[in-house]
Amino acid sequence: MGFLDFFKGKSKNNQQTPENKRPLPTPAVKNFYRLNVAKVVKETDDAISVYLQVPTNLQGIFAYKAGQYITIKQEVNGASYLRSYSISLCPQEAEAAGAFLRIGIKRKPGGAVSGYLVDNLAADATMEVFPPLGNFIPDLTEPSATYFLFAGGSGITPMIAIAQCLLKSLPHCKVVLYYANRTAKGIIYFDEITTLAETYGSRFAVWHIIDEELNPYVVNALGFEPLKGVFYAHNFVQELTARYADALADSTHFICGPMPMLQEVEHALYELGVNAGNIKIEFFEIEKQTALPATDSSQPESQPPAHLKLNRGDTLAKVHLQGKTHWVVIPKGDTVLNACLNAGLDAPFMCESGVCATCRASLIEGKVTMMANYSLNAADIEKGFILTCQSMPETDNVEVLY
């Protein structure tokens, strides 16, 4: 059942059912639900996996596809936060593991929530969880011959689920994973990735990219020689041309990691002639959870900072948030919310699908187009409210007030 089907009503049977025979009621989707933590597994020094048990009457609502995420509501030191975390098991693997959902959480620099959860979350705790959302999913109805997955850091969390899904569901496809980390000990799900490679042989190729220099002992312990250094667009072009030139014609690409990595991989794929429609990007949580950047007190807030650079088609946004004014560049084709999050602003959001209205703001100046709107009525729009998660600017300048 699709997300919006829950708002359309259901057919009802007029026959009376004895009280003890009635199934447990299935609540509406547009809610947070409290789920029990079945177990917490330490994956690295700074990353954990959280296994969430879903009651029988909620399993329809929490059904998901590989690549989607859930949003949690977490209180830390008296303040309430919303944070989204990718699901890191495909549905088939989740059922086999005895837990319906698994998410990966990595400590983020400046992150108010991630560090708290990594240090404190334990089995038998409960979490307030909004059902799965997201379009970072493979289309199994029109499969490609080869899927390339580019992950950085905890960007592996949706990728491990996508890899499992593709290998299980499309027996003739091949999957190639490029996984970048600063250090070898920072590799999340190392054993699972290795097991997948051993299980599927030539159908699943893994290339680890490690920034640090590794001594022979570490390389021997890893069991492979990683690609070295920070990869830029030209490195990815050389790598893909050397190993997979013939596979690019019928390929789909998924990218999830820190913003610099996303941009380098995307530029490389465009240079290699990959169609934009075959490239899927998931913005990494570190961009959404960093502390607000320091501002130059000598720069009047009424004027944009001199360091901001606009490319052709970009929009300059003046954003009023939590009593402060910020200047944000919105790249062509991006939304107001994404640009704010990528600039380090703690803008409110939850579903990112135009349903919950958590990201609602007033449009003071400029014009935007909302791709979807399931929560604002005509009166709201008349008053100038927009859903920033769905709003793409149509003018060179916009001004919004959260």
Side-chain angles (χ1 to χ4, degrees):
M1 182 178 291
F3 184 86
L4 296 178
D5 292 336
F6 289 93
F7 297 99
K8 298 176 181 177
K10 306 180 180 71
S11 60
K12 295 182 179 180
N13 190 324
N14 292 326
Q15 289 182 316
Q16 296 297 313
T17 305
E19 209 53 52
N20 62 351
K21 296 291 186 180
R22 290 178 183 171
L24 291 170
T26 300
V29 167
K30 196 178 176 182
N31 279 311
F32 278 88
Y33 303 100
R34 192 167 288 278
L35 303 183
N36 291 325
V37 176
K39 64 178 177 178
V40 177
V41 176
K42 185 176 182 180
E43 302 291 351
T44 69
D45 289 345
D46 290 318
I48 59 173
S49 283
V50 181
Y51 291 76
L52 296 166
Q53 196 67 51
V54 181
T56 302
N57 65 312
L58 295 181
Q59 289 184 1
I61 289 173
F62 278 88
Y64 67 93
K65 296 180 180 179
Q68 291 191 304
Y69 62 88
I70 58 173
T71 299
I72 68 166
K73 185 188 297 182
Q74 181 66 44
E75 187 168 300
V76 180
N77 297 326
S80 184
Y81 297 87
L82 296 175
R83 291 293 184 262
S84 297
Y85 295 103
S86 295
I87 301 169
S88 58
L89 275 180
C90 74
Q92 302 97 309
E93 290 288 339
E95 292 175 7
F100 196 70
L101 288 177
R102 182 182 75 174
I103 57 174
I105 302 175
K106 182 180 179 180
R107 189 190 309 275
K108 310 290 195 299
V113 177
S114 60
Y116 175 85
L117 293 175
V118 169
D119 292 337
N120 297 284
L121 193 63
D124 297 326
T126 60
M127 304 184 79
E128 289 190 76
V129 183
F130 195 84
L133 294 167
N135 297 311
F136 189 65
I137 56 178
D139 182 358
L140 302 181
T141 64
E142 297 184 7
S144 296
T146 306
Y147 291 85
F148 290 88
L149 313 181
F150 301 90
S154 62
I156 192 63
T157 51
M159 295 302 198
I160 188 73
I162 290 171
Q164 294 166 347
C165 171
L166 292 170
L167 293 168
K168 285 179 174 292
S169 303
L170 302 176
H172 302 295
C173 81
K174 293 184 178 180
V175 179
V176 179
L177 171 65
Y178 282 92
Y179 185 17
N181 283 280
R182 290 190 178 91
T183 65
K185 69 178 183 178
I187 300 175
I188 304 173
Y189 300 131
F190 176 80
D191 289 342
E192 288 186 31
I193 293 170
T194 302
T195 299
L196 274 180
E198 293 171 350
T199 301
Y200 289 96
S202 61
R203 290 188 57 211
F204 184 49
V206 181
W207 302 99
H208 289 278
I209 305 171
I210 306 295
D211 293 3
E212 69 172 354
E213 285 291 331
L214 302 180
N215 62 48
Y217 174 80
V218 174
V219 172
N220 184 63
L222 289 173
F224 59 85
E225 182 75 37
L227 304 175
K228 294 185 176 66
V230 178
F231 268 44
Y232 296 96
H234 69 274
N235 300 112
F236 283 111
V237 169
Q238 294 172 357
E239 174 68 20
L240 293 173
T241 300
R243 298 186 195 274
Y244 300 108
D246 295 338
L248 294 175
D250 185 8
S251 62
T252 297
H253 304 258
F254 290 80
I255 316 170
C256 184
M259 182 59 65
M261 175 195 167
L262 298 181
Q263 294 172 332
E264 295 298 327
V265 175
E266 187 177 19
H267 291 162
L269 295 178
Y270 287 149
E271 186 174 335
L272 290 166
V274 176
N275 189 298
N278 292 337
I279 302 173
K280 289 181 174 288
I281 297 176
E282 181 80 327
F283 291 98
F284 189 37
E285 290 88 352
I286 194 169
E287 302 294 338
K288 302 182 180 182
Q289 300 189 84
T290 49
L292 295 180
T295 57
D296 182 357
S297 58
S298 65
Q299 178 71 45
E301 66 176 21
S302 60
Q303 298 295 324
H307 65 79
L308 285 184
K309 298 185 183 301
L310 279 79
N311 297 315
R312 185 176 180 180
D314 290 351
T315 293
L316 181 62
K318 189 176 184 180
V319 179
H320 305 280
L321 174 67
Q322 298 172 346
K324 296 182 180 180
T325 299
H326 309 271
W327 293 91
V328 175
V329 175
I330 305 177
K332 183 179 180 180
D334 207 353
T335 65
V336 174
L337 175 64
N338 265 343
C340 288
L341 297 176
N342 293 335
L345 304 187
D346 197 18
F349 74 99
M350 187 172 67
C351 74
E352 297 185 83
S353 299
V355 174
C356 70
T358 302
C359 68
R360 188 179 80 162
S362 296
L363 182 64
I364 299 173
E365 180 184 340
K367 185 177 180 181
V368 302
T369 295
M370 284 193 290
M371 297 176 289
N373 170 31
Y374 303 107
S375 55
L376 299 182
N377 57 35
D380 293 328
I381 295 174
E382 183 68 24
K383 293 175 183 176
F385 288 114
I386 62 171
L387 300 175
T388 56
C389 76
Q390 298 294 312
S391 295
M392 299 176 66
E394 292 188 1
T395 51
D396 293 338
N397 295 275
V398 296
E399 184 175 359
V400 297
L401 170 65
Y402 280 98

